[in-house]
Amino acid sequence: MHAEATKSLMQALGIGAREYIAIVGAGGKTALMFALAEELQRQGKKVITSTTTKVWNRQAMQAPHVVCTENSPSWKDELKERLAEKEHVFVGRCVLESGKMDGLDCSDLDLLFQAQETDCLLVEADGAAGLPVKAPAAHEPVIPSAATLVVAVMGIEALGRRLTPEEVFRPEAVREITGLSPGEVLTSKALAKLFLHPQGLFKGTPAASRRIAFLNKLDLVEEEKEATALGQEILRESCGEIGRVVVGSIRRANYRVIQRKVPKVR
């Protein structure tokens, strides 16, 4: 295995000319979505962000422009106009009384991507209540079948902490996957299982989608070597299903990409 450092999310994730990206997990999904959207926009890309679940409206408002499909009969024209100006647009159904933006059905998002008017469609595909670690419930994640890339995020600061409701979202599901008991330490082996288990973070990933594990918030970790070791373990045990592991900090825009060594052609 080898690791390369970069300050570009596009480079860290290996973003192609046209991508449909579902982001799952915990510990920075929304931050990742908007940081990548901003970088793509700076490169002149037409970017749509959205969700298949719900996000806080204040988070959706991070986009330069927000379109609500339920409130505007001409929302498609509005979206087309904004994208023609190479703007980043967040698309949701409507703002609920809870203050959250309701997301779109996967079929509607598929149609948006197929319309060929966007270079990159970024979708938050589950929730985590702001905690660094989670396992999916029975009804999640909600990943569009046409997604080209699925990125599973985890807050690496959880390494060495304990399995408690203060650290872990859906702790019962985490217990089932990792075998840990309440209050036990979240070890590298246990956290790796959340990426590797069939009912873990990549549950429901389409067969054709690339998979990337993203260990975020490296700035909160004292021993970077432990985070790198976890990334290497995930990549090694995935048997090729996970293409790369990114270890880094969205807040500081520093990333290390761990990949398998490609044999040199003689």
Side-chain angles (χ1 to χ4, degrees), residues 1-2 259-263:
M1 296 183 188
H2 70 288
Q259 300 182 87
R260 290 177 177 82
K261 289 183 178 179
V262 179

Side-chain angles (χ1 to χ4, degrees), residues 48-84:
I48 295 174
T49 50
S50 189
T51 179
T52 56
T53 56
K54 297 176 180 66
V55 299
W56 290 108
N57 187 46
R58 63 177 181 271
Q59 295 175 325
M61 294 296 291
Q62 294 180 57
H65 194 77
V66 176
V67 170
C68 293
T69 63
E70 192 174 89
N71 301 339
S72 175
S74 59
W75 70 268
K76 290 183 179 180
D77 294 333
E78 183 181 359
L79 175 62
K80 185 175 182 179
E81 179 183 341
R82 296 293 180 174
L83 289 176

Side-chain angles (χ1 to χ4, degrees), residues 136-147:
H139 63 276
E140 59 177 4
V142 186
I143 301 174
S145 61

Side-chain angles (χ1 to χ4, degrees), residues 29-222:
K29 293 191 305 294
T30 306
L32 172 60
M33 182 168 72
F34 284 105
L36 179 56
E38 182 179 347
E39 188 174 318
L40 287 161
Q41 187 186 10
R42 288 200 303 267
Q43 296 298 316
K45 301 291 187 179
K46 301 175 183 178
V47 185
I48 295 174
T49 50
S50 189
T51 179
T52 56
T53 56
K54 297 176 180 66
V55 299
W56 290 108
N57 187 46
R58 63 177 181 271
Q59 295 175 325
M61 294 296 291
Q62 294 180 57
H65 194 77
V66 176
V67 170
C68 293
T69 63
E70 192 174 89
N71 301 339
S72 175
S74 59
W75 70 268
K76 290 183 179 180
D77 294 333
E78 183 181 359
L79 175 62
K80 185 175 182 179
E81 179 183 341
R82 296 293 180 174
L83 289 176
E85 297 169 358
K86 296 188 177 179
E87 289 196 17
H88 161 206
V89 183
F90 185 97
V91 182
R93 189 175 68 85
C94 66
V95 180
L96 305 171
E97 290 184 2
S98 63
K100 288 190 173 183
M101 175 72 75
D102 198 14
L104 301 183
D105 292 338
C106 289
S107 57
D108 292 329
L109 290 166
D110 289 346
L111 289 174
L112 280 181
F113 188 68
Q114 292 164 9
Q116 302 287 320
E117 292 172 358
T118 179
D119 298 309
C120 197
L121 175 52
L122 310 175
V123 180
E124 189 169 320
D126 64 4
L131 297 175
V133 176
K134 74 163 292 183
H139 63 276
E140 59 177 4
V142 186
I143 301 174
S145 61
T148 60
L149 171 63
V150 176
V151 182
V153 184
M154 178 181 289
I156 192 61
E157 78 273 22
L159 182 61
R161 297 185 183 178
R162 297 186 180 275
L163 202 170
T164 66
E166 290 73 31
E167 299 289 345
V168 175
F169 188 59
R170 306 199 190 283
E172 297 82 6
V174 171
R175 287 173 55 193
E176 290 181 8
I177 291 173
T178 63
L180 294 177
S181 298
E184 280 198 275
V185 173
L186 296 165
T187 61
S188 285
K189 185 176 181 180
L191 294 180
K193 287 181 180 179
L194 292 173
F195 290 96
L196 303 169
H197 195 279
Q199 297 302 308
L201 298 176
F202 285 107
K203 184 181 77 169
T205 296
S209 302
R210 308 190 316 278
R211 303 184 184 200
I212 294 177
F214 195 109
L215 302 178
N216 186 32
K217 300 186 182 179
L218 189 60
D219 52 298
L220 301 181
V221 176
E222 293 184 3

